[in-house]
């Protein structure tokens, strides 16, 4: 027995060592690959990416025709409690401390630009996952503002030099309020994203928000999804192409607003390989933030 083991040990040790070295080497190679991807994506704008057709719109805050003539509300909310309010089990991510961390950033930007900032946490409907209450919050400000800019609590303004009016002009292509579309959104690899969007004061918007709120069959408890984003996707899919064209605008480049921070993970690498166009459009900057709005436009 002992004799046999002595003879068997060296090759198996060698084998184990080479497997270990191979694993180490491929991990290092993979890390290097991630590092290269991340640095290429961080310099996306230097590499020719344009987040909008006409960068000159962004040459300054006061250059936009819309600036200072429109009343804009920045609305956000965060439900700090982990309980969903009706005692159902929940695995939802906790938002504890999120508004305390990002509220200053949002308020400072709104104050600088002359927008109203509304933290609508007191409007949360406890009968639904808190994310649904963004609809209530937006509706509450629509009659008193021209545009309501919804931004999820886990977003920050990463470029405070860019006015929301400029973002709107960039997406819509003109500055006339009366003929503007009513809903301005972005799209990522999963489709329309309800995290950050604009709603214009209009009859159409009021009805749209009410219909969205009424899609109760989409409400989901006890998962990381709450259903409001799926309901929005359904609503937009259900619109006729004519209605979609005249009332909704989807930003062709997500790096204009509601862009994400690219960080290496299996999921993001998978998306990079299989949806590289979308990753390019989503955009990123070198700022470490939770999720980003008003990301790098031109540099
Ligand atoms: C939404 O539901 C309420 C209550 O059921 C109803 O009164 C209202 O007409 C509905 N609105 C729309 C736009 O479907
Ligand atoms: C979906 O579209 C149909 C046809 O236009 C319409 O009758 C229906 O009300 C829409 N449903 C929702 C939830 O908007
Ligand atoms: C990130 O970008 C900003 C603005 O473009 C630049 O001033 C800063 O040096 C960059 N930081 C790093 C770590 O690359």
């Amino acid at each position: 027995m002992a004799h046999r083991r002595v003879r068997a040990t060296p090759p198996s040790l060698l084998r184990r060592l080479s497997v270990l070295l191979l694993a180490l080497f491929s991990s290092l190679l993979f890390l290097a690959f991630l590092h290269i991807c991340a640095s290429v994506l961080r310099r996306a704008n230097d590499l020719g990416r344009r987040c909008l057709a006409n960068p000159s719109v962004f040459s300054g805050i006061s250059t936009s025709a819309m600036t200072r003539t429109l009343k804009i509300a920045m609305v956000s909310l965060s439900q700090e409690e982990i309980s969903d309010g009706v005692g159902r089990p929940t695995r939802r991510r906790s938002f504890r401390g999120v508004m305390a961390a990002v509220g200053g950033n949002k308020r400072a930007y709104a104050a600088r630009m002359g927008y109203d900032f509304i933290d609508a946490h007191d409007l949360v409907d406890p009968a639904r996952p808190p994310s649904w209450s963004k609809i209530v919050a937006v509706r509450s400000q629509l009659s008193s503002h021209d545009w309501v800019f919804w931004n999820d609590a886990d977003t920050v303004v990463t470029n405070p030099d860019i006015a929301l009016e400029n973002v709107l002009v960039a997406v819509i292509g003109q500055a006339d309020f009366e003929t503007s579309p009513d809903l301005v959104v972005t799209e990522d690899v999963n489709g329309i994203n309800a995290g950050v969007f604009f709603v214009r004061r209009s009859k159409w918007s009021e009805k749209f928000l009410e219909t969205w709120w009424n899609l109760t069959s989409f409400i989901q408890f006890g998962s990381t999804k709450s259903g409001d984003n799926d309901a929005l996707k359904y609503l937009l899919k259900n619109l006729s192409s004519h209605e979609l064209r005249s009332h909704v605008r989807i930003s062709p480049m997500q790096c204009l607003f509601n862009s994400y921070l690219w960080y290496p993970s299996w999921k993001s690498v998978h998306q990079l390989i299989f949806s590289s166009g979308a990753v390019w459009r989503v955009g990123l900057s070198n700022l470490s933030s939770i999720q980003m709005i008003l990301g790098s436009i031109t540099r």
Side-chain angles (χ1 to χ4, degrees), residues 211 215 234-235 238:
T211 311
L215 288 177
Y234 169 79
L235 256 184
N238 191 49

Side-chain angles (χ1 to χ4, degrees), residues 17-29:
L17 204 68
S18 54
V19 166
L20 198 74
L21 278 173
L22 196 71
L24 201 70
F25 181 70
S26 25
S27 313
L28 283 175
L29 209 66

Side-chain angles (χ1 to χ4, degrees), residues 245-262:
R245 228 182 1 260
S246 44
H247 296 282
V248 183
R249 204 65 89 247
I250 301 166
S251 176
M253 293 296 285
Q254 204 192 340
C255 51
L256 187 56
F257 72 103
N258 195 17
S259 59
Y260 307 144
L261 181 70
W262 195 86

Side-chain angles (χ1 to χ4, degrees), residues 211-228:
T211 311
W212 186 6
W213 178 255
N214 279 6
L215 288 177
T216 49
S217 60
F218 283 86
I219 297 174
Q220 278 186 59
F221 283 100
S223 77
T224 53
K225 277 185 142 192
S226 49
D228 55 298

